Amino acid sequence: MINGERLIFSFSKFAIMCDHLVIRSLTSRSFKVKNTIALLLCLLTGFHSFLYAQTDHPQPDQLPKDTLAPEKVAKLHEPASKKKPLAILPRIETEPCPFLKKFDKYQADCGTLFVKENPDEAHTLKKPARIVTIPIMILQPAGPVTGDPVVITGGGGPGSAIYLMDEYDDDPAMYYSGIETSTLQNGRPLILMEMRGSGLSIADLDCPAITDLEIDLLTTYPYKPDNKRVIKTITNCANRKKLLGVDANFYNTDYAVKDIDTLRQLLEFEKWHLLGISHGTRISLRYAEQYPQHTASLILDSIYPFEVDPYAELAEHSVQVFTQPFTLCDADPRCRLADGTASVTLFESFMAQIQQEPPTLNVDYYDESWTVGQKTVKVSPELVAYALFNNSYDSDAIFAFPQIIKDALNKDYAKLSALISETIDLQNYTWFSEGAYSSYACYEEIPFSNFALATENAKKYKLPYWDDLPAIKLDPQLCQIWNIKAAVNNIKNFDHEQLTLPVLILAGDLDPFTPSIWAIDFHAKLPMRNKTQHLRVWPLKSHNLVYEDKCVETVILSFLNDPEQTINNECAIQDMREVEFVKESIIDADTDDSQ
C-alpha cells in the first residue's frame, strides 16, 4: 500500500456550507446564479472538504437545518476517539455497488480513487493538495480468483467516458457483457476506471456549452459554421476551469498512467491485464512501456498508435463514412439497386433534395431535467452528414444507412428522425469531455501533427455537406486557449522492439476512425508477432469490437488462457463466409455491369 500525505479534517461553518454547494452543483445543471458565485468564492478560498481540513467543528445548532444530513450531524457529537482519522493520499474508498440490491450475479464494489492533481509535488498543511477523484468499479468473478485481473483503461476520444455511475436499475451488464466469459466466468476480476478529467471524475473538464452550441448550429437552417462563437465558448469554459484552480496540464496520458499504477498498488496486485479501447489503447501502451513488470498482457481494441498522424488522414477517412455504406450495399444483392445504379447516387440525390426543400421533423431528446421532450428541426444536409458520421462507430448502423436514405427519399422519415434524435440527445453529452479532449490531444497529438498536409487533404476531400477544414484550423488554438504544454518525453516515438509481452490487437475492417491499416502496421513492427503477439481484423465490423459479439470474446478468452497457443479461430468461420459472400457479390456486380 502507498503511504500518502496526511491532511487534518475538520469543518468551519463556511466550509460545510461550501461542501453543500459543491454537492448541489455536481447534481444539478440548473444551479442558481447566486449559489454559483458563492461556490466560486468557496473554491477560490479553498474552504470545502474535498481539498482542505481543519480541527474545530461548529455546533450543530449553529448550522442551517438543511446544511447537513442527520448522519453528518450525529458525527459532530462523536467523542474525539471516534472522529474521522487523518486522510491519506492516494487512497481508495469503496462500498458495495447500489445495484446489488437487485443484482446478485457478481459481487461488485463501487468507489473512488483519490489522488493528487500533481502527484509529484510536495504539499504541506499551508499548501494542501488539490485532489482528483476518479470513479472505479471492481467486479469479482463468479467463483474463486484464479487469474490476474483485467482493467479497462479509460474511455476513447480522448475525453470519452466509461461513464461509471452509482445508480442502476438492475444489471450493469454494459460494463462486462463483452468480456464476461473471459473474465468473470474464468476467475479474473474485472476493474473499470475513468480517465482523470472525463466522465464523473473531479476535476471535471467537461464543457456542456460547447456541445450545446454545436447542436444549436447544426439544428439551425440553413447551417452556418460560427468559429468565433465556438472559440468564445471554449475560452469561457477554459477560463472557468482555471478560476476553479484546475491546471489542465495535469490531465493527460502520462498522469492517467500514474493513476492506473496507483490503483494497482492500493489494490495490491502484482500484475494485471490491460484492455484499452480506441484512445484507451494509448494509455495501455504507455503503461506497458513504463511498467512492463506489472503488465501481464495487453488487449488493444481499435488501436490508436502513437506514431500515426490522424489530422493528416482525417479528411480521407471522413469521406469513407459517406461512401462505405453504399459500396457495401452495392455488393449485396439484398440491398443493391435493381437497375445496377450505384446506390451512393441515392444519397447524393437526397442531399441535393433537402438542400432545396428541407423536411421538418419532430425529434425526441432528453432535456436538462432528464425528461423526454421534442424538438422541431428543419433538416439540413450538414445535420444528416453529422448524424451519419456519429453513428459510423457501429457496424450495424453502417449497414442501415442505405435503407434510411431509401426511406427518406420516399418521404418516410421515421428512421432518419431516430438517427437525428441520437445526435442531439442531451443525455449523451456527459459521455464526452471537451476539456479533456484538449488536455490529452494538446499533450500528445496536436503539437506533433502536420497541419499543412492536413489542410491540403481537407481541401482535396471536401464535400458539399462535410468540411474538415474548420476543425483542422480550430484544434491548434485549443492548446493556446487551455495553455497546454506538449509532451517532452518522445511520447510519439514508441519503441516497438521493447514491447515483448503478450499482445492481442483487435480491429474492424469498416472502422473509419482507427482504420485497420493502423493495426496491421503496428503489428508488423512487434518483435513477437504471431508468437505471443496476435492480430485479428474482423470483416464487416467497425469501431470498438469488444462489445460486438461472442466471437470476439472467444478470441480474448483463448488469448488470456494461453497467449502462446494459436488463437481460437472456430468462431471466425462464419465471419469468413460473410466476407466471401461480399467478395462474390462484388464480382457478380462487376459482371452484371460489364454485360
PDB file of all heavy atoms in Angstrom, residues 299-316:
ATOM      1  N   ILE A 299      -4.617  -6.034 -24.328  1.00  0.00           N
ATOM      2  CA  ILE A 299      -5.660  -6.255 -25.331  1.00  0.00           C
ATOM      3  C   ILE A 299      -5.987  -4.882 -25.899  1.00  0.00           C
ATOM      4  O   ILE A 299      -6.468  -3.997 -25.184  1.00  0.00           O
ATOM      5  CB  ILE A 299      -6.908  -6.904 -24.710  1.00  0.00           C
ATOM      6  CG1 ILE A 299      -6.546  -8.238 -24.063  1.00  0.00           C
ATOM      7  CG2 ILE A 299      -7.984  -7.100 -25.776  1.00  0.00           C
ATOM      8  CD1 ILE A 299      -7.666  -8.821 -23.227  1.00  0.00           C
ATOM      9  N   LEU A 300      -5.702  -4.689 -27.179  1.00  0.00           N
ATOM     10  CA  LEU A 300      -5.805  -3.375 -27.813  1.00  0.00           C
ATOM     11  C   LEU A 300      -6.902  -3.411 -28.861  1.00  0.00           C
ATOM     12  O   LEU A 300      -6.740  -3.973 -29.943  1.00  0.00           O
ATOM     13  CB  LEU A 300      -4.462  -2.991 -28.438  1.00  0.00           C
ATOM     14  CG  LEU A 300      -3.249  -3.046 -27.488  1.00  0.00           C
ATOM     15  CD1 LEU A 300      -1.947  -2.807 -28.258  1.00  0.00           C
ATOM     16  CD2 LEU A 300      -3.399  -2.043 -26.359  1.00  0.00           C
ATOM     17  N   ASP A 301      -8.029  -2.817 -28.535  1.00  0.00           N
ATOM     18  CA  ASP A 301      -9.218  -2.827 -29.388  1.00  0.00           C
ATOM     19  C   ASP A 301      -9.323  -1.490 -30.109  1.00  0.00           C
ATOM     20  O   ASP A 301      -9.382  -0.441 -29.485  1.00  0.00           O
ATOM     21  CB  ASP A 301     -10.447  -3.072 -28.506  1.00  0.00           C
ATOM     22  CG  ASP A 301     -11.759  -3.040 -29.270  1.00  0.00           C
ATOM     23  OD1 ASP A 301     -11.741  -2.807 -30.491  1.00  0.00           O
ATOM     24  OD2 ASP A 301     -12.807  -3.229 -28.637  1.00  0.00           O
ATOM     25  N   SER A 302      -9.334  -1.539 -31.467  1.00  0.00           N
ATOM     26  CA  SER A 302      -9.393  -0.312 -32.275  1.00  0.00           C
ATOM     27  C   SER A 302      -8.195   0.574 -31.944  1.00  0.00           C
ATOM     28  O   SER A 302      -8.333   1.699 -31.466  1.00  0.00           O
ATOM     29  CB  SER A 302     -10.709   0.432 -32.031  1.00  0.00           C
ATOM     30  OG  SER A 302     -11.823  -0.413 -32.207  1.00  0.00           O
ATOM     31  N   ILE A 303      -7.016   0.050 -32.211  1.00  0.00           N
ATOM     32  CA  ILE A 303      -5.767   0.656 -31.751  1.00  0.00           C
ATOM     33  C   ILE A 303      -5.531   2.028 -32.385  1.00  0.00           C
ATOM     34  O   ILE A 303      -5.791   2.253 -33.570  1.00  0.00           O
ATOM     35  CB  ILE A 303      -4.572  -0.289 -32.022  1.00  0.00           C
ATOM     36  CG1 ILE A 303      -3.300   0.256 -31.368  1.00  0.00           C
ATOM     37  CG2 ILE A 303      -4.383  -0.536 -33.502  1.00  0.00           C
ATOM     38  CD1 ILE A 303      -2.138  -0.720 -31.397  1.00  0.00           C
ATOM     39  N   TYR A 304      -5.033   2.937 -31.541  1.00  0.00           N
ATOM     40  CA  TYR A 304      -4.715   4.312 -31.931  1.00  0.00           C
ATOM     41  C   TYR A 304      -3.222   4.507 -31.628  1.00  0.00           C
ATOM     42  O   TYR A 304      -2.863   5.034 -30.589  1.00  0.00           O
ATOM     43  CB  TYR A 304      -5.586   5.263 -31.120  1.00  0.00           C
ATOM     44  CG  TYR A 304      -5.420   6.742 -31.375  1.00  0.00           C
ATOM     45  CD1 TYR A 304      -4.821   7.241 -32.515  1.00  0.00           C
ATOM     46  CD2 TYR A 304      -5.906   7.664 -30.440  1.00  0.00           C
ATOM     47  CE1 TYR A 304      -4.692   8.597 -32.732  1.00  0.00           C
ATOM     48  CE2 TYR A 304      -5.779   9.033 -30.632  1.00  0.00           C
ATOM     49  CZ  TYR A 304      -5.180   9.496 -31.774  1.00  0.00           C
ATOM     50  OH  TYR A 304      -5.055  10.848 -31.979  1.00  0.00           O
ATOM     51  N   PRO A 305      -2.348   4.063 -32.535  1.00  0.00           N
ATOM     52  CA  PRO A 305      -0.911   4.095 -32.250  1.00  0.00           C
ATOM     53  C   PRO A 305      -0.391   5.522 -32.095  1.00  0.00           C
ATOM     54  O   PRO A 305      -0.907   6.464 -32.688  1.00  0.00           O
ATOM     55  CB  PRO A 305      -0.291   3.419 -33.480  1.00  0.00           C
ATOM     56  CG  PRO A 305      -1.416   2.684 -34.139  1.00  0.00           C
ATOM     57  CD  PRO A 305      -2.645   3.491 -33.847  1.00  0.00           C
ATOM     58  N   PHE A 306       0.665   5.661 -31.311  1.00  0.00           N
ATOM     59  CA  PHE A 306       1.253   6.975 -31.103  1.00  0.00           C
ATOM     60  C   PHE A 306       1.852   7.543 -32.384  1.00  0.00           C
ATOM     61  O   PHE A 306       1.879   8.756 -32.591  1.00  0.00           O
ATOM     62  CB  PHE A 306       2.350   6.905 -30.026  1.00  0.00           C
ATOM     63  CG  PHE A 306       1.825   6.856 -28.625  1.00  0.00           C
ATOM     64  CD1 PHE A 306       1.846   5.668 -27.905  1.00  0.00           C
ATOM     65  CD2 PHE A 306       1.301   7.982 -28.020  1.00  0.00           C
ATOM     66  CE1 PHE A 306       1.366   5.618 -26.604  1.00  0.00           C
ATOM     67  CE2 PHE A 306       0.805   7.943 -26.726  1.00  0.00           C
ATOM     68  CZ  PHE A 306       0.843   6.751 -26.015  1.00  0.00           C
ATOM     69  N   GLU A 307       2.352   6.673 -33.264  1.00  0.00           N
ATOM     70  CA  GLU A 307       3.123   7.162 -34.407  1.00  0.00           C
ATOM     71  C   GLU A 307       2.282   7.701 -35.550  1.00  0.00           C
ATOM     72  O   GLU A 307       2.826   8.297 -36.489  1.00  0.00           O
ATOM     73  CB  GLU A 307       4.050   6.056 -34.929  1.00  0.00           C
ATOM     74  CG  GLU A 307       3.332   4.808 -35.427  1.00  0.00           C
ATOM     75  CD  GLU A 307       3.206   3.723 -34.369  1.00  0.00           C
ATOM     76  OE1 GLU A 307       3.207   4.068 -33.165  1.00  0.00           O
ATOM     77  OE2 GLU A 307       3.104   2.547 -34.742  1.00  0.00           O
ATOM     78  N   VAL A 308       0.955   7.493 -35.521  1.00  0.00           N
ATOM     79  CA  VAL A 308       0.130   7.964 -36.649  1.00  0.00           C
ATOM     80  C   VAL A 308      -0.110   9.472 -36.543  1.00  0.00           C
ATOM     81  O   VAL A 308       0.038  10.072 -35.476  1.00  0.00           O
ATOM     82  CB  VAL A 308      -1.228   7.219 -36.686  1.00  0.00           C
ATOM     83  CG1 VAL A 308      -1.010   5.730 -36.848  1.00  0.00           C
ATOM     84  CG2 VAL A 308      -2.071   7.530 -35.461  1.00  0.00           C
ATOM     85  N   ASP A 309      -0.489  10.054 -37.683  1.00  0.00           N
ATOM     86  CA  ASP A 309      -0.869  11.469 -37.730  1.00  0.00           C
ATOM     87  C   ASP A 309      -2.331  11.530 -38.165  1.00  0.00           C
ATOM     88  O   ASP A 309      -2.634  11.627 -39.360  1.00  0.00           O
ATOM     89  CB  ASP A 309       0.013  12.237 -38.719  1.00  0.00           C
ATOM     90  CG  ASP A 309      -0.259  13.736 -38.702  1.00  0.00           C
ATOM     91  OD1 ASP A 309      -1.313  14.150 -38.154  1.00  0.00           O
ATOM     92  OD2 ASP A 309       0.557  14.502 -39.256  1.00  0.00           O
ATOM     93  N   PRO A 310      -3.274  11.466 -37.222  1.00  0.00           N
ATOM     94  CA  PRO A 310      -4.689  11.385 -37.595  1.00  0.00           C
ATOM     95  C   PRO A 310      -5.204  12.633 -38.295  1.00  0.00           C
ATOM     96  O   PRO A 310      -6.149  12.549 -39.092  1.00  0.00           O
ATOM     97  CB  PRO A 310      -5.392  11.177 -36.250  1.00  0.00           C
ATOM     98  CG  PRO A 310      -4.454  11.719 -35.231  1.00  0.00           C
ATOM     99  CD  PRO A 310      -3.087  11.458 -35.765  1.00  0.00           C
ATOM    100  N   TYR A 311      -4.609  13.791 -38.024  1.00  0.00           N
ATOM    101  CA  TYR A 311      -5.077  15.009 -38.684  1.00  0.00           C
ATOM    102  C   TYR A 311      -4.773  14.966 -40.183  1.00  0.00           C
ATOM    103  O   TYR A 311      -5.588  15.392 -41.006  1.00  0.00           O
ATOM    104  CB  TYR A 311      -4.446  16.243 -38.050  1.00  0.00           C
ATOM    105  CG  TYR A 311      -5.052  16.604 -36.722  1.00  0.00           C
ATOM    106  CD1 TYR A 311      -4.480  16.175 -35.534  1.00  0.00           C
ATOM    107  CD2 TYR A 311      -6.224  17.349 -36.651  1.00  0.00           C
ATOM    108  CE1 TYR A 311      -5.050  16.487 -34.302  1.00  0.00           C
ATOM    109  CE2 TYR A 311      -6.806  17.664 -35.435  1.00  0.00           C
ATOM    110  CZ  TYR A 311      -6.207  17.227 -34.258  1.00  0.00           C
ATOM    111  OH  TYR A 311      -6.790  17.535 -33.050  1.00  0.00           O
ATOM    112  N   ALA A 312      -3.600  14.446 -40.539  1.00  0.00           N
ATOM    113  CA  ALA A 312      -3.245  14.351 -41.953  1.00  0.00           C
ATOM    114  C   ALA A 312      -4.164  13.388 -42.698  1.00  0.00           C
ATOM    115  O   ALA A 312      -4.432  13.556 -43.891  1.00  0.00           O
ATOM    116  CB  ALA A 312      -1.788  13.906 -42.094  1.00  0.00           C
ATOM    117  N   GLU A 313      -4.673  12.360 -41.993  1.00  0.00           N
ATOM    118  CA  GLU A 313      -5.534  11.352 -42.613  1.00  0.00           C
ATOM    119  C   GLU A 313      -7.021  11.634 -42.418  1.00  0.00           C
ATOM    120  O   GLU A 313      -7.867  10.908 -42.958  1.00  0.00           O
ATOM    121  CB  GLU A 313      -5.202   9.970 -42.028  1.00  0.00           C
ATOM    122  CG  GLU A 313      -3.759   9.535 -42.212  1.00  0.00           C
ATOM    123  CD  GLU A 313      -3.491   8.167 -41.614  1.00  0.00           C
ATOM    124  OE1 GLU A 313      -4.388   7.302 -41.689  1.00  0.00           O
ATOM    125  OE2 GLU A 313      -2.393   7.952 -41.057  1.00  0.00           O
ATOM    126  N   LEU A 314      -7.350  12.668 -41.647  1.00  0.00           N
ATOM    127  CA  LEU A 314      -8.724  12.898 -41.230  1.00  0.00           C
ATOM    128  C   LEU A 314      -9.703  12.993 -42.394  1.00  0.00           C
ATOM    129  O   LEU A 314     -10.742  12.320 -42.421  1.00  0.00           O
ATOM    130  CB  LEU A 314      -8.791  14.188 -40.397  1.00  0.00           C
ATOM    131  CG  LEU A 314     -10.174  14.643 -39.923  1.00  0.00           C
ATOM    132  CD1 LEU A 314     -10.805  13.592 -39.020  1.00  0.00           C
ATOM    133  CD2 LEU A 314     -10.069  15.983 -39.195  1.00  0.00           C
ATOM    134  N   ALA A 315      -9.399  13.817 -43.368  1.00  0.00           N
ATOM    135  CA  ALA A 315     -10.350  14.073 -44.454  1.00  0.00           C
ATOM    136  C   ALA A 315     -10.605  12.818 -45.286  1.00  0.00           C
ATOM    137  O   ALA A 315     -11.744  12.536 -45.675  1.00  0.00           O
ATOM    138  CB  ALA A 315      -9.837  15.205 -45.336  1.00  0.00           C
ATOM    139  N   GLU A 316      -9.569  12.043 -45.552  1.00  0.00           N
ATOM    140  CA  GLU A 316      -9.736  10.821 -46.335  1.00  0.00           C
ATOM    141  C   GLU A 316     -10.627   9.822 -45.610  1.00  0.00           C
ATOM    142  O   GLU A 316     -11.470   9.154 -46.221  1.00  0.00           O
ATOM    143  CB  GLU A 316      -8.367  10.202 -46.616  1.00  0.00           C
ATOM    144  CG  GLU A 316      -8.426   8.988 -47.521  1.00  0.00           C
ATOM    145  CD  GLU A 316      -7.052   8.442 -47.843  1.00  0.00           C
ATOM    146  OE1 GLU A 316      -6.046   9.011 -47.366  1.00  0.00           O
ATOM    147  OE2 GLU A 316      -6.982   7.435 -48.581  1.00  0.00           O
TER     148      GLU A 316
END
